Amino acid sequence: MFEQEKLMEKQCIFILCAVIELFFLISPGPELIAAANEPATKLEAFLSKAETLIVIESVDLGRVEGTYGAYVEMKAIVSYEPISANKKISGFQVTVYEGGRNEQRKTVFVDLDEIENVSNAAEYMISLSDKWKAVRRLNTEVAFTTRDTFRIGFSQSGYSWQGFSSGGYGVGAVCRFNSLEDLKAVKLLINSGLEWVKSNEGR
């Protein structure tokens, strides 16, 4: 009986050690946790610098309304330190609001090099949507996502088209569009912001 108890005790210790080892294997290390908390864009990283004098110039580009009170709102930003005004960090701040019952709001940042890619992707999506108007598609989605999870795209099932713009993964916010004109309006905001940023950076 005593030997059986000793054996059970050893088995319990072995299982406990195995569980502890498994916990450390699957738990994210401090490096991964720190990386997850780091800004995904140069613009956000620059704006969040501590103990640094920063000049921020911005312009509200407007918003595009979606379904159920949802919208996408954009702001173009040019920022710099006064001591190095010739080195400017520019980009967009995008707020996506999901209306309806969810009422989620997500703000993300897009660097200048990325926003040009977003504009080009939107241009392609608009062209593709026009091309597919008379085509019956089987659950097709086309989308472009930036580093800080700003996403724009459309889906088509049969002849039914729906555009969307979102921010964040998981518990993010999605703005849905029922008209291709809304997707075109988002591209117009982006293009007007790009013009403002480029003219401002040259000053």
Side-chain angles (χ1 to χ4, degrees), residues 62-74 94-100 102-108 125 141-144 149-155 161-168 170-183 185-186 189:
R63 68 168 59 172
V64 178
E65 305 284 344
T67 60
Y68 303 109
Y71 62 80
V72 178
E73 198 168 59
M74 293 190 175
V94 182
T95 299
V96 181
Y97 174 74
E98 181 175 351
N102 288 334
E103 292 194 28
Q104 299 288 343
R105 187 189 307 272
K106 182 71 177 180
T107 298
V108 295
M125 291 175 201
E141 181 176 286
V142 182
F144 184 89
T149 71
F150 172 58
R151 196 162 186 257
I152 186 171
F154 74 92
S155 62
W161 182 97
Q162 185 170 74
F164 58 85
S165 183
S166 66
V171 187
V174 182
C175 175
R176 292 178 175 83
F177 308 117
N178 285 333
S179 169
L180 181 57
E181 296 306 311
D182 296 327
L183 197 60
V186 172
L189 291 187

Side-chain angles (χ1 to χ4, degrees), residues 35-46 48 108-111 113-114 146-150:
N37 292 330
E38 287 179 2
T41 62
K42 292 178 288 186
L43 177 60
E44 186 180 8
F46 185 78
S48 61
V108 295
F109 293 88
V110 187
D111 286 330
D113 60 331
E114 282 192 297
T146 67
R147 289 188 290 267
D148 199 24
T149 71
F150 172 58

